[in-house]
Amino acid sequence: MKSIITLPATSQALAFDGEPSAAELDAIEREMPLIAAEVDLLDVEIMTLDRPATELDERRIRRARNRVLVERRNLTNRIAVQSGGAA
């Protein structure tokens, strides 16, 4: 059986401290409105799993889906503006 020995330079380059980088945190912050909208949509859908959806439930689901779409559009537009492209 051969043992695998890591070289100091290699292990340092591959070291992972378990924390997100600043760029990853910035990306999460930019996407947070979309994430919150998706969580709200999921909450509304979960409420209707064990019973038939009423008219009010259907409105809540439709409103939550529309909010997700709006946040996706906003995120796409923000990214396009930052990169200098057109959405």
Side-chain angles (χ1 to χ4, degrees):
M1 174 186 259
K2 295 181 181 180
S3 61
I4 299 172
I5 301 172
T6 60
L7 300 174
T10 306
S11 64
Q12 211 42 10
L14 298 176
F16 177 66
D17 64 356
E19 298 294 325
S21 68
E24 291 170 332
L25 289 173
D26 290 341
I28 293 169
E29 188 67 31
R30 269 192 314 273
E31 295 175 9
M32 192 51 74
L34 176 59
I35 294 168
E38 289 175 338
V39 168
D40 291 343
L41 174 59
L42 187 61
D43 287 343
V44 171
E45 290 174 339
I46 288 172
M47 285 187 337
T48 62
L49 284 178
D50 61 343
R51 59 185 166 83
T54 64
E55 186 177 332
L56 181 61
D57 292 332
E58 290 173 5
R59 276 191 252 160
R60 285 181 182 144
I61 291 171
R62 188 171 46 250
R63 206 173 306 129
R65 284 182 182 155
N66 287 338
R67 183 171 168 229
V68 168
L69 291 175
V70 166
E71 292 301 334
R72 282 183 186 166
R73 182 195 64 206
N74 293 343
L75 179 62
T76 302
N77 289 340
R78 281 193 304 267
I79 290 172
V81 167
Q82 289 174 354
S83 66

